[in-house]
Amino acid sequence: MARSFLEYKTDAWVQWCPGCGDFGILNAIHRALAELDIDPRNLVVVGGIGCSGRTTFYVKGSNLHALHGRAIPLATGVKLANPRLKVVIAGGDGDLLGIGAGHFVAVGRRNVDITVIVFDNAVYGLTKGQAAPTLPSGVKTKALPGPNIQDAVNPLLLALASGYTFIARGYAYHTAQLKEMIKAAISHRGTALVDVLQPCPTYNNVMTNQWYEERVYYLEEEEWDPVVKTPEEYRRKVPLIAAKMLEWGDRIPLGVFLKDETKEPFEERLERQMPGYMDNPPSSRPISVDGYPLADPWKVFEEKVVKKVEASY
Ligand code: SF4
């Protein structure tokens, strides 16, 4: 029998402001995990720093809270140590696209089989609402002394340029549609991005629920086909996908922009280089015998330092 989404909730008190878009995203994550019937023992949610990072406390799993900007490399390490786990990252646009931007790019180049969910509210909510990387220029939210004079980064285009093989954008209060996107992202073999637009009612008084509802529409309304099966099809479709990703203003598209089935995940590349990796990944190898670590740091120190120093006399 399928699991109930209630099985993925924890007892922790959810500490977000009333009306925060994070609630919708959390709800969609719980329901997506239940419908995919993922065993919480095989789930790792890695959170960044920020309001969104608290998701790790609210979803049942073997979760980790990373240093600022380091959710992606930590999640990559978890996945490569044990490729049987489902690994989901929950971070804000400030964490993943500001201090963590280099890692955001690197994971796409590798196509590691993990899902990156960006809680995209365009502000640093936890630290009182400063401009985050996705705040468009010219916008003045209430914490800013004047309109933003930096240009925004486009998470979808950055993901496309970095090699992500699944790219979607959802809206936090459209929980049913968002749940389907998260399910598709987790089921995808390779690095998947779900950029979730979300109001921050406490600090972003411009991009409100009403602001989004007046603008968002779904790609399905235009019979959009995100699936790419061959490199030729990829080259043909990429300009159209990029143009659609640039659309922002009176109309903001939501949905799955790209599902690239031409590239193998990093884990399969590793298996080719190290036959047996998938059957015997690092997490299943012994690290000690009779209580003694197999990697003896004293032996290494003796070999690399002590012998060299002795030889120099
Ligand atoms: Fe949500 Fe903004 Fe409050 Fe953070 S500060 S919990 S993003 S409403």
Side-chain angles (χ1 to χ4, degrees):
M1 201 173 73
R3 293 167 204 269
S4 158
F5 75 96
L6 296 172
E7 291 179 49
Y8 295 87
K9 291 189 170 191
T10 65
D11 295 333
W13 176 47
V14 181
Q15 287 186 319
W16 287 320
C17 309
C20 176
D22 288 1
F23 287 100
I25 306 174
L26 179 63
N27 191 296
I29 292 173
H30 283 145
R31 288 173 190 274
L33 294 170
E35 290 186 19
L36 291 173
D37 200 23
I38 291 174
D39 186 336
R41 290 171 300 184
N42 293 331
L43 173 70
V44 182
V45 181
V46 184
I49 297 299
C51 304
S52 56
R54 302 190 64 81
T55 305
T56 54
F57 309 147
Y58 309 143
V59 178
K60 234 172 233 169
S62 303
N63 303 339
L64 295 161
H65 206 157
L67 294 174
H68 200 14
R70 305 295 177 248
I72 288 177
L74 190 56
T76 300
V78 169
K79 182 68 184 180
L80 297 185
N82 185 354
R84 296 179 194 106
L85 296 172
K86 288 287 180 195
V87 180
V88 176
I89 293 162
D93 55 297
D95 184 273
L96 294 169
L97 299 163
I99 189 171
H103 301 301
F104 184 90
V105 170
V107 74
R109 290 175 47 229
R110 296 181 179 126
N111 199 29
V112 181
D113 186 10
I114 58 178
T115 299
V116 183
I117 301 177
V118 180
F119 290 49
D120 185 352
N121 56 20
V123 293
Y124 287 94
L126 195 69
T127 50
K128 302 282 182 279
Q130 300 89 341
T134 56
L135 187 70
S137 65
V139 173
K140 184 195 170 315
T141 54
K142 64 186 185 189
L144 301 182
N148 184 22
I149 55 172
Q150 303 179 84
D151 287 329
V153 71
N154 183 318
L156 309 183
L157 275 175
L158 185 60
L160 183 68
S162 305
Y164 283 59
T165 46
F166 181 100
I167 304 174
R169 184 199 274 143
Y171 180 53
Y173 292 156
H174 293 183
T175 312
Q177 295 92 330
L178 181 58
K179 174 200 70 180
E180 292 303 323
M181 282 179 215
I182 293 173
K183 275 170 64 183
I186 293 175
S187 305
H188 176 75
R189 291 172 59 253
T191 308
L193 168 70
V194 185
D195 179 43
V196 189
L197 304 176
Q198 63 144 128
C200 165
T202 302
Y203 291 113
N204 192 333
N205 57 331
V206 178
M207 298 154 85
T208 60
N209 181 41
Q210 187 187 347
W211 189 92
Y212 280 118
E213 288 289 5
E214 286 169 357
R215 289 165 174 79
V216 294
Y217 74 97
Y218 283 90
L219 292 169
E220 289 94 317
E221 294 165 21
E222 299 182 346
E223 297 180 9
W224 182 264
D225 177 12
V227 179
V228 170
K229 290 186 185 297
T230 64
E232 295 70 37
E233 193 181 9
Y234 187 85
R235 276 192 288 278
R236 191 163 41 77
K237 275 189 172 175
V238 154
L240 301 171
I241 294 169
K244 193 48 90 178
M245 289 174 171
L246 276 169
E247 196 177 323
W248 183 273
D250 291 343
R251 279 168 61 78
I252 299 175
L254 303 176
V256 179
F257 288 74
L258 171 69
K259 184 172 174 18
D260 177 5
E261 296 177 354
T262 65
K263 295 179 194 152
E264 60 188 347
F266 193 68
E267 297 84 316
E268 288 178 21
R269 301 179 201 179
L270 275 181
E271 172 68 29
R272 236 189 4 261
Q273 203 169 65
M274 297 187 287
Y277 159 73
M278 290 296 271
D279 288 335
N280 188 25
S283 64
S284 59
R285 293 178 204 159
I287 57 170
S288 67
V289 173
D290 297 333
Y292 294 98
L294 287 175
D296 186 339
W298 172 245
K299 274 191 190 146
V300 177
F301 183 70
E302 201 176 22
E303 200 64 39
K304 301 280 179 199
V305 181
V306 178
K307 283 190 181 167
K308 274 191 187 163
V309 172
E310 283 173 356
S312 69
Y313 287 128

